[in-house]
Amino acid sequence: MPPPNYCVDFSGFIVEFMNNEGVNEGVNEGVALVVEIVRKYPGIKTAAIAQRINKGVSTTERYLKQLRNDRLIEFRGAPKTGGYYITAKR
């Protein structure tokens, strides 16, 4: 958790705690959604995934990178014609 912010005003002081849980939950939901889409549409391309999850291509690429690093999905084929597949381990 990040350190709190302190602010002094006429009535005293305010301590503001920051929480990143909302951000993490959104990312986790996005990643889980990508897994389900790749499972449902084997060989799907990045742009099609981005369109289905209603996110930008850069965001989708971050999700895909995380899933590739975790070895949950893999890219097969040439960069222009290939697509994403669930790995055999799953």
Side-chain angles (χ1 to χ4, degrees):
M1 181 183 298
N5 293 326
Y6 300 95
C7 179
V8 178
D9 68 8
F10 66 93
S11 64
F13 66 94
I14 299 169
V15 180
E16 182 180 57
F17 294 95
M18 305 304 284
N19 187 343
N20 290 339
E21 286 181 21
V23 172
N24 290 337
E25 287 174 8
V27 169
N28 291 337
E29 289 173 13
V31 168
L33 191 54
V34 169
V35 169
E36 291 307 312
I37 289 170
V38 172
R39 180 176 285 126
K40 189 173 181 178
Y41 303 99
I44 193 167
K45 299 179 184 331
T46 305
I49 296 170
Q51 186 176 16
R52 289 190 178 275
I53 65 173
N54 200 28
K55 299 284 183 189
V57 172
S58 295
T59 299
T60 304
E61 287 172 342
R62 279 194 302 276
Y63 294 164
L64 291 168
K65 181 178 179 182
Q66 180 179 343
L67 292 167
R68 282 194 317 269
N69 289 343
D70 292 342
R71 297 180 186 210
L72 298 174
I73 64 167
E74 63 186 1
F75 185 87
R76 294 184 202 157
K80 285 194 174 197
T81 59
Y84 287 95
Y85 296 84
I86 298 292
T87 59
K89 103 174 192 184
R90 234 173 174 246

